[in-house]
Amino acid sequence: MGRALLTLSLLLALPGLAQERVSKSHVSANGMYSVRLVEQAPGKCRVEMLKESGPAWTFEGCVGTVDDFYFASNDGERFWLLRPLVEKGKKAAVEKVGKKKVKIPAWANATVAVMYGRKGQRLQERHLQDFLRSSRELGEVRQMSAHFKWLEGTLGIPGKGPRLTDDEKVEFEAVGAKTYHLSF
């Protein structure tokens, strides 16, 4: 009987041991808002836009991971999600460059940045080839078996990490040290 109670109490306590995981919060350029992703359990997440006084709004959905970068707009209505570790795509693309056709690898078409609105709607998205166009630049991307790394200052790639500027732009360096900006 004692063992049964002990086993039952352990089984009931296990769900309580699973802790929420939270992404790093980044404050808006005006200091009014911050945004973060809260992973309550695998596949169960919410995005929280916070003010100093508490939550401004939330929506349910796993739009990224806790390891991604989230940047809030000055009005707290939008946020950019920047993915440093991206799953490779499956379908290569062919682009016409002048009179030649050039094959773009599937992973170059992968989405690396998305701007979301307060209800979780996608407002804009950027693909890796929006930032890295030449074969030399694409050659700098760190390839793994199912993912790639492309963002300096993250995941062991030297450089400055992504940041929000005073003029409300997300600033970052892709591999190859060229600086890019995303505007709200």
Side-chain angles (χ1 to χ4, degrees):
M1 175 87 167
R3 282 188 181 189
L5 284 174
L6 180 61
T7 304
L8 181 61
S9 65
L10 282 174
L11 288 174
L12 292 174
L14 284 177
L17 294 178
Q19 291 185 353
E20 287 185 339
R21 294 180 35 182
V22 179
S23 69
K24 185 178 176 184
S25 294
H26 288 92
V27 177
S28 61
N30 64 5
M32 298 284 293
Y33 294 93
S34 64
V35 63
R36 67 183 187 175
L37 178 88
V38 178
E39 183 182 273
Q40 299 148 309
K44 187 171 178 7
C45 310
R46 75 178 174 273
V47 174
E48 298 177 340
M49 183 67 72
L50 307 169
K51 285 180 92 168
E52 196 173 291
S53 59
W57 53 263
T58 65
F59 71 82
E60 299 295 319
C62 295
V63 296
T65 71
V66 295
D67 299 317
D68 293 335
F69 292 87
Y70 298 83
F71 297 94
S73 65
N74 280 346
D75 63 4
E77 294 293 314
R78 299 168 311 282
F79 67 92
W80 273 104
L81 160 66
L82 208 54
R83 295 182 172 123
L85 182 66
V86 184
E87 190 174 325
K88 291 181 178 179
K90 305 234 184 311
K91 188 176 178 190
V94 176
E95 272 188 12
K96 196 169 184 179
V97 178
K99 293 186 179 203
K100 290 195 290 184
K101 289 185 179 178
V102 178
K103 188 174 181 179
I104 307 294
W107 53 267
N109 294 320
T111 302
V112 296
V114 181
M115 186 196 310
Y116 288 95
R118 68 181 302 145
K119 293 184 171 123
Q121 70 276 27
R122 281 181 176 229
L123 302 174
Q124 293 184 46
E125 66 179 47
R126 299 287 186 273
H127 303 273
L128 182 63
Q129 67 180 2
D130 294 334
F131 305 116
L132 306 176
R133 300 278 315 156
S134 72
S135 57
R136 184 191 64 74
E137 290 174 324
L138 289 173
E140 296 284 325
V141 174
R142 308 311 198 274
Q143 299 288 330
M144 300 166 68
S145 59
H147 294 81
F148 65 86
K149 301 186 285 187
W150 67 284
L151 199 54
E152 287 195 357
T154 66
L155 304 171
I157 299 174
K160 289 171 69 175
R163 59 221 166 260
L164 194 59
T165 64
D166 289 340
D167 60 346
E168 196 185 14
K169 289 184 174 40
V170 177
E171 184 176 83
F172 59 92
E173 284 79 31
V175 290
K178 191 171 179 184
T179 301
Y180 297 94
H181 295 94
L182 296 170
S183 298
F184 289 97

